[in-house]
Amino acid sequence: MRLLFLGDIVGRTGRNAVIERLPGLIDRYKLDFVVINGENAAGGFGITEEIVRDVLDAGADVITTGNHAFDQREALVFAERQPQFLRPVNYPLGTPGRGANLFVARNGARVLVVNAMGRIYMDALDDPFAVIDREVSACPLGEQADAIVIDFHAEATSEKQAIGHHLDGRVTLVVGTHTHVPTSDCRVLPGGTAYQSDAGMCGDYDSVLGMEKEEPVRRFLTKVPSGRFQPSGGPATLCGLAVEVDDTTGLARAVSPLAIGGVLEERLPTFWG
């Protein structure tokens, strides 16, 4: 099974790059399943239902989110009717939508996707370790699920690494999102779980986390806001990671960072040719 995960979509340039390039990637690499974090796709803050449809139509199987899941108020409504749209599973009881769901890949495999949020330097939510354990125990790898993907939307790399090791051998992939900067620790953990602390973003890297540089720099210099953050409109880089999944065990055979377009050095999964 061939799995692709793409980091947070930021603004118009990021979502246009995803919509334009994803169909070709699916065709070129014969991808079976695609997960994309889309929480910054609408002007850098949240996501609309129209964008959800456009990204799904481009070939994404699941759209995950994080702390900006409901920045666009309409998400409070469409979250209930869009099973392929996930918000963090450890949000309080009664939050609209779902944080985990079982999907069927193009090759017929059953893929559990869990979207959770960290608590260090983030909102005070339910314990992500306990909540993810509950979801994985209810749909174990090799029994109800042929693959399990965890999008852990968190600030602290320590928390991300801890949850990766905690789940090692029980899930296919643990990948961090939220910080918009791809980390260099993409690897298969000892128990067979693919891991990366942060997948990066799909957006313009000639920016500050996908936003036009001037306002963030000014705020660091003066501590005084003088305008809104605006998504940077330069050429976008698609960043994420590719995972080759063992169809027998559901664990990772190989994992590779991916970067296409924009200002970053291109990186492609060599094990797919």
Side-chain angles (χ1 to χ4, degrees):
M1 177 179 173
R2 293 181 170 187
L3 167 70
L4 177 68
F5 184 96
L6 293 178
D8 310 35
I9 300 173
V10 182
R12 183 185 301 274
T13 187
R15 68 177 186 262
N16 285 348
V18 168
I19 291 167
E20 291 167 7
R21 291 176 177 267
L22 183 56
L25 290 174
I26 293 172
D27 183 63
R28 176 180 177 180
Y29 292 117
K30 303 297 185 288
L31 299 177
D32 296 303
F33 200 74
V34 179
V35 182
I36 304 177
N37 188 295
E39 73 150 11
N40 301 117
F45 300 94
I47 189 168
T48 65
E49 188 167 22
E50 180 180 2
I51 295 172
V52 167
R53 292 196 192 102
D54 288 344
V55 174
L56 293 176
D57 287 346
D61 295 286
V62 184
I63 297 172
T64 54
T65 57
N67 55 305
H68 293 292
F70 297 110
D71 281 7
Q72 301 295 323
R73 304 300 292 176
E74 66 181 85
L76 292 166
V77 178
F78 74 72
E80 292 290 342
R81 62 172 176 254
Q82 285 284 0
Q84 292 166 280
F85 172 83
L86 300 182
R87 47 77 174 163
V89 69
N90 52 331
Y91 269 17
L93 187 66
T95 302
R98 57 192 60 77
N101 210 352
L102 189 66
F103 304 91
V104 178
R106 292 171 183 82
N107 66 342
R110 302 159 299 171
V111 184
L112 174 67
V113 181
V114 182
N115 186 189
M117 202 158 91
R119 296 194 295 184
I120 298 177
Y121 308 124
M122 303 283 283
D123 294 336
L125 300 180
D126 291 345
D127 177 9
F129 287 80
V131 175
I132 294 173
D133 274 344
R134 181 189 68 202
E135 297 295 336
V136 171
S137 296
C139 190
L141 189 65
E143 297 180 26
Q144 280 78 28
D146 300 304
I148 299 177
V149 176
I150 311 293
D151 175 350
F152 192 47
H153 198 79
E155 187 78 43
T157 52
S158 59
E159 191 178 19
K160 294 177 181 181
Q161 289 177 341
I163 210 154
H165 289 296
H166 177 66
L167 295 169
D168 187 22
R170 294 191 287 149
V171 305
T172 310
L173 169 65
V174 174
V175 58
T177 56
H178 178 63
T179 63
H180 293 194
V181 178
T183 55
S184 62
D185 60 344
C186 184
R187 65 196 190 278
V188 178
L189 297 174
T193 293
Y195 174 84
Q196 187 172 350
S197 291
D198 202 282
M201 67 175 178
C202 296
D204 178 11
Y205 279 83
D206 185 20
S207 67
V208 175
L209 304 185
M211 298 295 168
E212 293 285 358
K213 295 173 282 190
E214 290 74 17
E215 179 61 18
V217 171
R218 188 181 298 113
R219 292 192 190 188
F220 279 112
L221 290 172
T222 68
K223 305 301 181 185
V224 178
S226 60
R228 291 173 55 86
F229 287 146
Q230 298 291 340
S232 185
T237 303
L238 298 189
C239 270
L241 65 163
V243 184
E244 181 75 25
V245 183
D246 188 317
D247 292 335
T248 302
T249 64
L251 296 171
R253 285 179 173 166
V255 61
S256 170
L258 178 140
I260 300 174
V263 300
L264 299 187
E265 180 182 355
E266 183 170 90
R267 291 179 291 180
L268 298 172
T270 57
F271 50 79
W272 287 345

